[in-house]
């Protein structure tokens, strides 16, 4: 089978590459010419562990192609995935401009029956909208539409794509269902549950899943804040809660709030959608508010540790990407922290193993120095603040850190250190929800 993937970002590139790995002929299409040129040279534009090797291997095998020519890619394909960005508009709804452009470019390239699959996260009702657009170009018997939301996590994208917990496919067409079942056959063979449903339900499943996961994070952050007041330990609270099979241990790590390209924008879109439908999601509204507060709380913790003001202080900040193992800076908590530090007269020395370029694009150079390694970021700083839990920060030589900081203060917003051990080295140490 030959498939095309429109949009070669985090999702499109991983999806296309993993299908190629399963032996499918894949053409990845993007409007971004430099990105496609880079990929055609075997270099990938994002940081995702293991992806570059897999891209090169499949290009070499002749199964994975990159082009800006939609027509050429779509004409050969039986299944066309749309994986373009659906960013937030100012009002919280999804901006469907790229999705519409992609749909229209498919419409123009239609040369026979195809299944058009929406992989981007899109509002409920998009299936009907997509069908309407395609019908402007070809008759309805020339295509079927399907929703196939993506659940992979950046940083673990390959594992999540090749061995997902489940695949969700929403379509009203028997033919499309059969074609997609065949395409996902390699996952059937490893007994991956495949949930077939209608388009609207499939579209909602993506929002429901993200909202629930972000609610777990937010919930444990609130428990962390209580722990700080009562001398409790949120690690133990999370462990004990997680041992209850009905709750489960995942996504119960207290920290500085969730960020990234999905949870924030998808929750906003869900709230908006639910309001329009007359079925408001008060819980998700609260999750958004509590998460915003938690990110600000991260800044406040640094400020408190510095005696109540960041003015004239230098903050050694470890971690810019919204989470480890990615270079993605979209909606990263570090942005809130850096901007508040700068607003209140402090400066930042920052280091991130992969996220510096994207962060620099968004944050600029005023009041922030981008350093080559964690020790340079700490050198001469008034405080060290851990914002992203990269493994490399876990094993820092804390005695060296002690010598490099102006004052030995650590604010650990990801709980990567043991409080007693760090304090034992002579640091003033604060973390999240470990009032021990
Ligand atoms: P991205 O911004 O990394 O990539 C989008 C790509 O689409 C870009 O390369 C852009 O140039 C390209 N594009 C835009 N318009 C185009 C067009 N008309 N034709 C061809 N290419 C076009 O975005 P992403 O992170 O890959 O996210 C894509 C979608 O997947 C979003 O809806 C997102 O919510 C969803 N999603 C993302 C993740 C994630 O972890 N990143 C996880 C699950 C779902």
């Amino acid at each position: 089978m030959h498939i095309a993937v429109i949009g070669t970002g985090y999702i499109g590139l991983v999806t296309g590459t993993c299908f190629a790995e399963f032996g499918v002929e894949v053409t990845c299409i993007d409007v971004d010419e430099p990105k496609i040129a880079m990929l055609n040279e075997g270099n990938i534009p994002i940081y995702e562990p293991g992806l570059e090797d897999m891209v090169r291997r499949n290009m070499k095998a002749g199964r994975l192609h990159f082009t800006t020519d939609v027509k050429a890619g779509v004409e050969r394909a039986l299944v066309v995935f749309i994986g373009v960005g659906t960013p937030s508009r100012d009002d919280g709804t999804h901006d469907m401009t790229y999705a519409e452009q992609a749909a229209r470019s498919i419409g123009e390239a239609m040369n026979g029956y195809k299944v058009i699959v929406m992989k981007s996260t899109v509002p409920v009702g998009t299936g009907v909208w997509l069908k309407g657009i395609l019908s402007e170009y070809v008759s309805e018997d020339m295509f079927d539409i399907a929703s196939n939301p993506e659940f992979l996590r950046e940083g673990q994208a390959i594992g999540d794509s090749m061995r997902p917990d489940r695949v969700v496919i929403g379509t009203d067409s028997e033919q499309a269902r059969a074609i997609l079942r065949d395409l996902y056959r390699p996952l059937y063979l490893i007994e991956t549950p495949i949930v077939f449903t209608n388009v609207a339900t499939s579209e909602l499943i993506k929002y429901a899943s993200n909202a629930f996961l972000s609610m777990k994070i937010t919930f444990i952050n609130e428990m962390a804040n209580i722990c700080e007041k009562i001398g409790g330990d949120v690690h133990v609270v999370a462990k004990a809660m997680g041992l209850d099979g009905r709750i489960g241990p995942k996504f119960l790590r207290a920290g500085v709030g969730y960020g990234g390209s999905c949870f924030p924008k998808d929750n906003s879109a869900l709230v908006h959608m639910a309001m329009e439908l007359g079925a408001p999601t008060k819980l998700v509204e609260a999750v958004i508010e509590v998460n915003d507060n938690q990110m600000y709380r991260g800044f406040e913790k640094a400020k408190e540790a510095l005696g109540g003001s960041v003015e004239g202080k230098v903050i050694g900040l470890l971690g810019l990407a919204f989470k480890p193992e990615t270079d993605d800076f979209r909606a990263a908590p570090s942005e809130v922290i850096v901007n508040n530090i700068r607003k209140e007269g402090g400066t930042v020395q920052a280091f991130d193993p992969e996220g510096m370029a994207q962060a620099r694009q968004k944050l600029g150079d005023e009041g922030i120095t981008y350093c080559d390694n964690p020790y340079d970021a700490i050198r001469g700083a008034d405080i060290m603040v851990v914002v992203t839990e990269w493994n490399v920060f876990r094993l820092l030589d804390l005695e060296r850190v002690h010598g490099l900081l102006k004052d030995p203060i650590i604010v650990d917003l990801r709980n990567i250190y043991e409080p007693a051990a760090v304090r034992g080295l002579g640091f003033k140490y604060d973390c999240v929800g470990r009032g021990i």
Side-chain angles (χ1 to χ4, degrees):
M1 193 186 297
H2 195 121
I3 69 166
V5 183
I6 313 249
T8 310
Y10 286 88
I11 290 308
L13 181 57
V14 172
T15 301
T17 307
C18 289
F19 274 122
E21 183 76 5
F22 282 138
V24 179
E25 280 270 321
V26 181
T27 307
C28 288
I29 302 162
D30 207 287
V31 286
D32 185 335
E33 286 181 14
K35 188 181 267 189
I36 292 297
M38 191 176 178
L39 284 159
N40 273 323
E41 282 165 17
N43 300 315
I44 68 166
I46 55 170
Y47 175 75
E48 182 60 50
L51 186 58
E52 194 157 77
D53 282 350
M54 201 183 264
V55 166
R56 288 185 180 160
R57 186 166 64 242
N58 283 283
M59 285 175 80
K60 204 167 158 213
R63 286 191 298 267
L64 183 60
H65 315 273
F66 297 101
T67 183
T68 54
D69 185 348
V70 183
K71 200 166 177 333
V74 169
E75 275 183 354
R76 295 172 67 198
L78 175 61
V79 178
V80 182
F81 285 92
I82 299 177
V84 299
T86 47
S88 262
R89 287 207 200 94
D90 286 345
D91 67 358
T93 58
H94 278 316
D95 181 349
M96 296 292 283
T97 311
Y98 305 119
E100 179 169 352
Q101 286 164 355
R104 293 196 180 281
S105 66
I106 295 169
E108 281 162 8
M110 288 291 283
N111 63 334
Y113 174 84
K114 297 177 197 301
V115 184
I116 313 301
V117 185
M118 185 56 83
K119 200 165 239 322
S120 299
T121 304
V122 290
V124 176
T126 297
V128 179
W129 172 85
L130 178 60
K131 199 167 178 175
I133 292 180
L134 293 170
S135 305
E136 292 178 28
Y137 297 85
V138 284
S139 62
E140 283 190 14
D141 58 347
M142 287 278 283
F143 67 89
D144 280 309
I145 56 145
S147 156
N148 173 216
E150 182 53 64
F151 300 99
L152 66 75
R153 294 161 294 177
E154 288 174 20
Q156 285 144 288
I158 290 182
D160 286 350
S161 276
M162 310 280 292
R163 291 175 298 282
D165 289 341
R166 79 317 204 171
V167 172
V168 174
I169 295 173
T171 183
D172 302 324
S173 149
E174 271 308 319
Q175 190 175 357
R177 189 179 307 212
I179 290 169
L180 292 174
R181 181 180 283 132
D182 186 38
L183 180 62
Y184 275 109
R185 205 175 53 237
L187 296 184
Y188 256 149
L189 298 177
I190 54 168
E191 297 184 0
T192 306
I194 303 200
V195 178
F196 284 104
T197 181
N198 63 33
V199 176
T201 307
S202 167
E203 289 166 342
L204 181 61
I205 288 168
K206 174 64 190 173
Y207 289 99
S209 304
N210 275 359
F212 194 83
L213 291 172
S214 49
M215 184 183 70
K216 275 186 101 177
I217 296 172
T218 304
F219 182 86
I220 203 66
N221 282 339
E222 286 202 319
M223 294 305 111
N225 295 339
I226 295 176
C227 281
E228 289 177 8
K229 303 280 183 201
I230 63 167
D233 185 348
V234 74
H235 274 199
V236 183
V237 173
K239 186 172 177 192
M241 281 176 64
L243 287 168
D244 184 328
R246 296 168 300 176
I247 298 173
K250 291 184 180 168
F251 280 72
L252 287 179
R253 290 245 307 275
V256 66
Y258 61 78
S261 66
C262 291
F263 289 173
K265 84 172 168 64
D266 295 350
N267 283 346
S268 298
L270 176 56
V271 164
H272 209 275
M273 212 159 58
M275 223 130 63
E276 277 192 344
L277 290 166
T281 49
K282 293 285 173 207
L283 199 53
V284 186
E285 287 172 35
V287 165
I288 295 172
E289 190 188 336
V290 173
N291 192 63
D292 286 347
N293 292 343
Q294 192 70 8
M295 289 197 265
Y296 187 71
R297 177 103 190 89
F299 162 68
E300 277 186 335
K301 275 178 170 286
K303 186 169 155 179
E304 280 160 21
L306 285 165
S309 170
V310 296
E311 197 174 353
K313 302 286 184 186
V314 179
I315 285 77
L317 193 122
L318 300 188
L320 290 163
F322 86 91
K323 67 174 186 179
E325 299 302 328
T326 182
D327 56 351
D328 201 340
F329 183 68
R330 290 177 282 186
S334 63
E335 185 176 356
V336 173
I337 295 170
V338 169
N339 283 339
N340 278 294
I341 290 170
R342 297 193 294 195
K343 196 166 118 199
E344 296 199 11
T347 53
V348 174
Q349 296 178 170
F351 172 75
D352 187 284
E354 298 293 338
M356 306 270 266
Q358 279 197 29
R360 193 169 196 164
Q361 249 181 6
K362 190 87 193 283
L363 295 172
D365 288 304
E366 211 180 311
I368 178 165
T369 308
Y370 300 91
C371 302
D372 290 336
N373 59 65
Y375 296 107
D376 281 357
I378 296 157
R379 199 181 306 277
D382 293 279
I383 185 172
M384 169 175 130
V385 181
V386 179
V387 185
T388 315
E389 66 276 35
W390 284 92
N391 281 334
V392 69
F393 301 150
R394 295 178 196 274
L395 283 177
L396 286 185
D397 175 349
L398 290 181
E399 280 178 12
R400 186 171 168 202
V401 169
H402 196 291
L404 289 172
L405 282 169
K406 223 185 270 173
D407 285 316
I409 309 172
I410 294 179
V411 170
D412 175 4
L413 299 174
R414 296 292 183 180
N415 292 352
I416 64 171
Y417 300 123
E418 266 310 310
V422 180
R423 288 188 190 118
L425 290 170
F427 285 95
K428 184 178 157 197
Y429 175 78
D430 190 21
C431 54
V432 182
R434 308 196 74 192
I436 46 176

